[in-house]
Amino acid sequence: MRARAEFDLVRITGKYGLDVDWDHWTLRKLPLSERYTASMWPAKMLLLAALKVPLDGRRQWWTVDQARSMYAPLRPPSSTQTWDDDGWFAALRLQGPNPLPLRGVVDAAGLEALALWATVGEDPARLYVADHRPPLRGCTPSPGRFLPPCVALFEDTEDGLMPLLIELDREDGPPLVVRPGDGDAWRLARLYFGAADMLIHEVVSHYQWTHVLAETFAIVTARNLPWQHPLRGLLAPHLRSTLHQNSNAAPILVADGGLFDRCFAGGDCKHRLLEWGAREWSYDRMILPRALASRGLEELADVPYRDDAMLLWNALEAYVRGFVGIWYDQERLEADQELRSWIQELSDALRIPRLRTMEELIELLTGILFNPVAHNLVNALQFDVFGFPLGSPVAVHVPVPERVEDVDRDMLLRALPRTGDTLQAARATYGFTLQYDRLGHELRPPMPPDSPDLVGALHEALRAAEETIVSRNLERRFPYTAALPSRVSNTVDA
């Protein structure tokens, strides 16, 4: 009961899980164990102060070169060089900040709902789709901003994944289908898709499905597992500072009137996306092997997100398996009342199945320890991909045209977000990518005397994973760094 009392004072409401309540934290009541470490404070306070300083958002872009030159004193995002490369646009579905939506198309029936299907004529087995229509239909952006539901179709070619077309919903007519050969109309279609991808990423893939998820793990663990419980010792380094991070981020970014409303599409889009994300999330999404198996990407030879992330999943699973094997057998698992209470509350908050076996416990604990990795995979590349408006703008300011012939370079530049909105997003995404610790380091799980060196074995597995990823990147057109263990944190604290 002492563990439960620890958090009864912190939580204003009893509602948690993926249904987000903006004003549910009072920072002064956070236990010391959940606050930033001393080494994190300076960078965190500078970032929070910078995000609170308003920027002039009225200026428009006049040239592409002007958009490239605005980042001093920060370095420019790498997408200033790759934004007009269709190979890069396709590669982002496999290794960008939002690699979750891409799905394989099993057969023609998988594209029945697309008006574009009759015009494609490609082998369905080689097609892949990233569909942003379900989360966006029903969203109403702020006046002067446009966020059309959209879907992109890709083909697996000898040169890798390449885009075939983008279909954009129109309010007053049939969808507009745009292809890579359509000049500035294609660039504008990529802007609409990039803005949709960025907003869905920030609100759902990043905030809701990693930050809010980690927050729930932290609360339920502190309420049910006292510090002397072995699983509290295992989990604590991977939940540290998450509550402090969320309590600072929510008012500035997610709350009504925050950055998501001021700079992004605004309107009711954030709330609609959170409702959609809560419906779409399932336990399988946090179990990486099952999440990957459901997407139909097996025929793609190189999926950096899939291939590199699995190295880290396997390393963490071996660590968890060794720890659980030391402390539990089936009889002890069934007799542990605090564990059963923890599982019950997680089940109530997140629709996680009631676990009954050792393998199910190992899977759940691996998923919780992997959540900071999942966070890094959607967080680490934000500035380089989302920081440049011609790649993924925070908002688009022209409606979808009726015909591709209606688009020229002037319209493309008028579509871009204002300078202040872009710089605010660049400033935020740059700060989000700061790293404060390193995966696997500073771990001291409670262990009986003469136990195997599980932490040492984890370090060795992560070192081998780093070497493998570095070697793979030598062969990739676009190196993938988000899964390098040396660039991943132990916890969701950025």
Side-chain angles (χ1 to χ4, degrees):
M1 293 303 294
R2 208 167 56 189
R4 184 172 295 274
E6 180 181 352
F7 268 71
D8 282 345
L9 295 177
V10 178
R11 204 57 159 150
I12 304 291
T13 73
K15 178 182 177 182
Y16 53 96
L18 295 176
D19 295 323
V20 179
D21 175 13
W22 310 126
D23 301 316
H24 58 318
W25 293 117
T26 301
L27 183 56
R28 62 184 174 80
K29 293 182 179 179
L30 274 179
L32 289 175
S33 62
E34 304 302 329
R35 293 176 180 246
Y36 295 144
T37 62
S39 62
M40 296 170 66
W41 271 99
K44 289 294 187 182
M45 294 305 103
L46 284 172
L47 175 59
L48 288 171
L51 291 178
K52 291 179 179 179
V53 176
L55 293 170
D56 181 4
R58 295 171 292 179
R59 292 174 51 211
Q60 285 186 282
W61 307 107
W62 302 110
T63 67
V64 172
D65 287 339
Q66 180 196 36
R68 283 197 181 104
S69 64
M70 68 173 180
Y71 292 95
L74 302 178
R75 65 172 178 82
S78 61
S79 53
T80 57
Q81 304 301 317
T82 56
W83 70 275
D84 206 24
D85 185 333
D86 283 338
W88 170 246
F89 176 71
L92 291 179
R93 310 314 130 206
L94 307 173
Q95 62 187 88
N98 194 26
L100 307 182
L102 191 72
R103 297 285 188 276
V105 177
V106 178
D107 52 36
L111 288 178
E112 279 182 347
L114 302 185
L116 56 84
W117 170 246
T119 69
V120 173
E122 302 290 343
D123 177 7
R126 299 179 64 84
L127 298 181
Y128 297 84
V129 63
D131 193 350
H132 290 331
R133 296 171 305 168
L136 294 183
R137 282 182 173 159
C139 291
T140 304
S142 296
R145 303 177 192 178
F146 300 89
L147 190 70
C150 52
V151 56
L153 190 66
F154 301 86
E155 181 186 12
D156 184 22
T157 73
E158 292 182 357
D159 296 323
L161 197 70
M162 295 296 291
L164 284 173
L165 46 81
I166 295 173
E167 180 179 295
L168 304 163
D169 279 10
R170 296 177 60 246
E171 293 182 1
D172 54 357
L176 179 70
V177 176
V178 192
R179 294 176 174 79
D182 288 333
D184 280 335
W186 174 247
R187 295 183 179 94
L188 180 62
R190 287 195 319 230
L191 290 188
Y192 289 118
F193 189 88
D197 197 58
M198 184 179 186
L199 185 62
I200 293 167
H201 161 273
E202 294 293 1
V203 176
V204 179
S205 306
H206 179 200
Y207 178 73
Q208 190 179 34
W209 287 356
T210 65
H211 277 267
V212 177
L213 196 62
E215 176 179 303
T216 303
F217 295 145
I219 295 167
V220 174
T221 299
R223 282 168 53 84
N224 292 279
L225 300 179
W227 279 108
Q228 62 268 30
H229 195 285
L231 292 188
R232 182 78 180 269
L234 174 74
L235 296 173
H238 305 280
L239 303 175
R240 192 206 67 245
S241 302
T242 293
L243 301 179
H244 200 163
Q245 174 64 20
N246 285 7
S247 69
N248 280 335
I252 295 174
L253 301 175
V254 191
D256 291 342
L259 186 69
F260 289 170
D261 288 342
R262 297 196 315 273
C263 299
F264 289 72
D268 68 356
C269 297
K270 173 191 65 190
H271 293 285
R272 295 283 188 182
L273 286 174
L274 287 168
E275 292 169 359
W276 177 83
R279 292 194 305 270
E280 284 294 306
W281 191 86
S282 69
Y283 179 56
D284 283 354
R285 285 189 178 274
M286 65 176 277
I287 307 303
L288 183 66
R290 294 213 294 271
L292 292 171
S294 69
R295 294 175 54 189
L297 304 181
E298 297 84 2
E299 297 302 317
L300 286 174
D302 183 28
V303 181
Y305 168 80
R306 174 197 67 197
D307 301 337
D308 294 359
M310 277 304 303
L311 296 175
L312 276 63
W313 174 274
N314 291 336
L316 290 169
E317 183 187 45
Y319 171 64
V320 169
R321 184 175 296 278
F323 184 87
V324 171
I326 288 171
W327 285 102
Y328 284 99
D329 55 26
Q330 188 63 33
E331 183 178 354
R332 290 176 182 173
L333 186 151
E334 293 173 357
D336 189 336
Q337 295 298 321
E338 291 166 329
L339 174 61
R340 290 173 61 183
S341 176
W342 178 74
I343 291 172
Q344 175 68 53
E345 194 163 349
L346 278 179
S347 179
D348 293 342
L350 294 172
R351 308 188 301 273
I352 288 178
R354 307 282 173 80
L355 309 182
R356 294 180 174 84
T357 68
M358 296 273 287
E359 285 299 318
E360 290 171 339
L361 177 61
I362 290 167
E363 183 180 71
L364 171 60
L365 292 171
T366 304
I368 295 174
L369 267 61
F370 186 79
N371 188 53
V373 179
H375 170 259
N376 201 72
L377 298 177
V378 299
N379 180 66
L381 303 175
Q382 287 188 85
F383 175 71
D384 278 315
V385 175
F386 294 152
F388 186 56
L390 280 158
S392 297
V394 290
V396 180
H397 289 267
V398 298
V400 178
E402 183 177 352
R403 304 173 307 159
V404 296
E405 294 82 6
D406 296 336
V407 183
D408 57 17
R409 182 56 56 98
D410 178 67
M411 184 179 185
L412 180 69
L413 291 171
R414 285 189 289 111
L416 295 177
R418 307 303 184 257
T419 55
D421 292 344
T422 296
L423 286 170
Q424 189 80 308
R427 198 159 56 178
T429 54
Y430 184 87
F432 296 161
T433 59
L434 297 177
Q435 184 177 356
Y436 301 97
D437 64 6
R438 181 170 172 175
L439 182 66
H441 288 241
E442 302 300 323
L443 302 184
R444 299 178 182 86
M447 301 285 285
D450 301 322
S451 296
D453 183 9
L454 298 181
V455 174
L458 175 62
H459 288 172
E460 178 59 27
L462 294 176
R463 184 198 61 77
E466 181 107 4
E467 291 182 355
T468 299
I469 295 170
V470 169
S471 177
R472 288 172 175 173
N473 281 339
L474 295 176
E475 305 296 324
R476 289 168 173 160
R477 182 183 176 193
F478 304 108
Y480 184 56
T481 60
L484 287 168
S486 61
R487 301 194 182 186
V488 179
S489 296
N490 273 325
T491 184
V492 180
D493 58 6

